[in-house]
Amino acid sequence: TGKSCFVASLVRHPAVSSAYQRICWLPVGQMPDLRRLLALLLYQLTRGESGTIGNNEQLGDLVALQQKVVTAMNGLHVLCVLDDVWDPAHMRVLAAPLESAVLVVTTRLHHLLPGAHHVHCGLLTRDESLQLLLRAGDVALPPNATVPQAAKEAVELCGRLPLTIALAGAMLQEHADDWERRLVPLLRGDNRAELRKSSLNEGDNDNDSDDDEESLEGRIITSSLSLLHAKKHHTSVVLFMMCAAFPGDANVAAAVFD
């Protein structure tokens, strides 16, 4: 539902960025290396003065790293984002030296942190979904024009999720001349029932897992790449193939892709 993108936009807002002397971002994930994350936090707090982040043997123990973070934070107004937290225990270790900081935590799990102020990122409304699709597809409708039925069907097939709608918008651009005829069949593919699992009626159910969202995004990505079938060396295809070689939570150096 765009949790990380939403928070990234928030911390870049001038009113937020000007209120803090340091804004830190830690990509946590399901199986984080807590020592490396604390070292990354220290690096961000000191703006690199703590030196490069070495291997695990050079990092020291958790307690020592936490104390270094406390020292580095002295006198600073800090906002820290803990992105994609899955386990409260991980959050406690990372947050322990950040008592004086403002923390923003993104997570897929409801009620992960009792007592925290929760902001639920629900699905886009139908109008918001249509606006995003048309904007991403570079479609400008005349004033008071009726939105094409194909666009309405497309946003429902995308589950009204920002990422999938943005990808559908890119697909729309690929078929700018006949998108009203081609877009919906491309999105529907062979898994129409799967796509509809993340419909508006089910999207806010606290008991739902994120498996539906992930399968939906995967289906839209597959459909998007299928447009490039004849372009085997298209940069998008090459990039996705390279990313497929790494675990989802791995930090990959930019040099790998260069």
Side-chain angles (χ1 to χ4, degrees):
T1 53
K3 298 176 289 293
S4 299
C5 291
F6 177 79
V7 173
S9 176
L10 173 68
V11 300
R12 286 181 172 85
H13 192 283
V16 176
S17 60
S18 63
Y20 298 95
Q21 294 167 288
R22 299 288 190 277
I23 295 180
C24 305
W25 187 290
L26 299 182
V28 183
Q30 295 185 58
M31 296 188 298
D33 185 330
L34 296 176
R35 287 195 297 169
R36 294 192 68 82
L37 286 175
L38 285 170
L40 174 60
L41 175 59
L42 183 62
Y43 184 88
Q44 294 176 14
L45 287 169
T46 62
R47 293 181 173 172
E49 293 180 7
S50 63
T52 59
I53 302 173
N55 57 41
N56 285 355
E57 289 72 22
Q58 298 172 319
L59 294 178
D61 61 34
L62 282 174
V63 175
L65 283 167
Q66 288 174 326
Q67 186 55 52
K68 289 180 181 180
V69 169
V70 171
T71 301
M73 280 191 54
N74 186 38
L76 294 177
H77 296 291
V78 177
L79 183 150
C80 183
V81 178
L82 304 180
D83 185 42
D84 196 25
V85 176
W86 288 78
D87 189 331
H90 299 154
M91 191 269 186
R92 287 193 291 270
V93 171
L94 296 172
L98 294 170
E99 289 186 2
S100 61
V102 173
L103 295 181
V104 178
V105 179
T106 70
T107 179
R108 300 180 182 215
L109 308 178
H110 295 283
H111 313 302
L112 179 72
L113 304 172
H117 176 69
H118 290 82
V119 178
H120 177 62
C121 294
L123 298 176
L124 298 175
T125 66
R126 188 181 190 185
D127 287 344
E128 290 169 339
S129 300
L130 290 169
Q131 290 175 17
L132 176 58
L133 175 67
L134 297 177
R135 184 169 66 249
D138 198 24
V139 175
L141 297 178
N144 301 319
T146 301
V147 176
Q149 181 63 28
K152 296 178 182 178
E153 292 185 41
V155 297
E156 297 303 330
L157 286 169
C158 288
R160 301 190 192 178
L161 296 169
L163 174 60
T164 56
I165 292 174
L167 288 170
M171 296 165 67
L172 188 157
Q173 287 194 47
E174 289 283 339
H175 293 279
D177 296 332
D178 60 350
W179 70 268
E180 292 187 46
R181 179 175 63 87
R182 298 287 302 278
L183 183 60
V184 169
L186 280 169
L187 292 174
R188 185 180 297 126
D190 297 326
N191 296 324
R192 184 174 183 179
E194 178 182 308
L195 287 165
R196 291 195 180 279
K197 285 182 181 179
S198 292
S199 68
L200 184 62
N201 292 333
E202 298 179 19
D204 290 330
N205 189 332
D206 284 1
N207 295 322
D208 286 351
S209 70
D210 274 64
D211 292 341
D212 292 343
E213 179 180 333
E214 292 174 353
S215 63
L216 172 61
E217 292 173 358
R219 181 57 198 162
I220 300 299
I221 290 172
T222 300
S223 298
S224 179
L225 292 178
S226 71
L227 298 176
L228 305 171
H229 181 70
K231 308 173 185 178
K232 294 183 180 179
H233 300 291
H234 190 284
T235 53
S236 296
V237 175
V238 174
L239 180 61
F240 270 91
M241 291 178 66
M242 293 179 72
C243 287
F246 303 102
D249 291 327
N251 293 319
V252 183
V256 172
F257 299 100
D258 295 337

